[in-house]
């Protein structure tokens, strides 16, 4: 395994965590949106990660990066609220709110941020090791 492979693995981790932060930000931004029907209501989204097994198998390497397989919408129920005075209320007087739990999103955001920071620290440690290796010859 090459020391340079560390940059590829931690780079894929940073890229995946960036996608996770973007979806969390989108969920938080749409948490307060309301709609008059269930079809038009925003649903929380979550990225799905997978290891890059195929590429790792070709290189015969123990280290594997991560990639985003896709982003899925949550199927948890929407919040239905009776508010007949609301301008977006349907014929029965209900409005629909997204299934976004802001506290859960904040915890997910902190987790993604910490994971991103850890990948940066791995990259910095690998860079430092490479620089120290180059200084041996001086």
């Amino acid at each position: 395994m090459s020391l340079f492979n560390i940059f590829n693995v931690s780079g894929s981790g940073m890229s995946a965590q960036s996608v996770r932060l973007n979806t969390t930000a989108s969920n938080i931004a749409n948490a307060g949106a309301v709609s008059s029907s269930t079809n038009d209501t925003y649903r929380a989204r979550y990225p799905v990660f997978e290891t890059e097994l195929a590429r790792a198998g070709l290189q015969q390497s123990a280290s594997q990066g991560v990639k985003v397989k896709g982003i899925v919408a949550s199927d948890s129920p929407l919040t239905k609220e009776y508010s007949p005075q609301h301008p977006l209320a349907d014929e029965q007087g209900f409005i629909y709110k997204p299934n976004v739990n802001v506290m859960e999103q904040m915890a997910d955001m902190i987790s993604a941020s910490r994971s991103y920071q850890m990948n940066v620290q791995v990259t910095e440690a690998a860079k430092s090791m490479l620089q120290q290796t180059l200084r041996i010859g001086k």
Side-chain angles (χ1 to χ4, degrees):
M1 179 173 90
S2 167
L3 190 57
F4 292 107
N5 194 28
I6 293 171
F7 296 115
N8 292 333
V9 172
S10 62
S12 71
M14 285 188 278
S15 177
Q17 295 306 324
S18 177
V19 169
R20 186 174 168 199
L21 277 171
N22 282 331
T23 55
T24 301
S26 175
N27 289 339
I28 291 172
N30 288 292
V34 296
S35 177
S36 60
S37 73
T38 57
N39 293 334
D40 297 335
T41 306
Y42 181 83
R43 294 180 187 274
R45 295 180 171 102
Y46 299 97
V48 177
F49 299 144
E50 71 176 358
T51 57
E52 295 182 310
L53 287 174
R55 205 169 86 183
L58 294 175
Q59 296 176 352
Q60 300 294 322
S61 173
S63 61
Q64 302 165 1
V66 64
K67 72 175 185 178
V68 178
K69 185 175 182 181
I71 297 175
V72 297
S74 171
D75 57 353
S76 63
L78 301 172
T79 304
K80 185 177 178 182
E81 183 178 306
Y82 183 69
S83 181
Q85 290 84 21
H86 197 282
L88 292 178
D90 62 6
E91 297 83 31
Q92 289 86 27
F94 289 101
I95 58 172
Y96 301 91
K97 294 182 176 181
N99 55 359
V100 175
N101 181 339
V102 176
M103 296 303 287
E104 178 183 306
Q105 296 299 317
M106 292 298 290
D108 200 32
M109 180 185 69
I110 291 169
S111 174
S113 176
R114 296 283 188 245
S115 182
Y116 190 91
Q117 288 174 347
M118 292 297 117
N119 280 303
V120 168
Q121 287 180 347
V122 166
T123 303
E124 289 175 353
K127 178 182 150 193
S128 174
M129 289 172 61
L130 284 171
Q131 288 175 336
Q132 290 174 3
T133 302
L134 291 174
R135 283 190 209 122
I136 289 175
K138 287 187 176 180

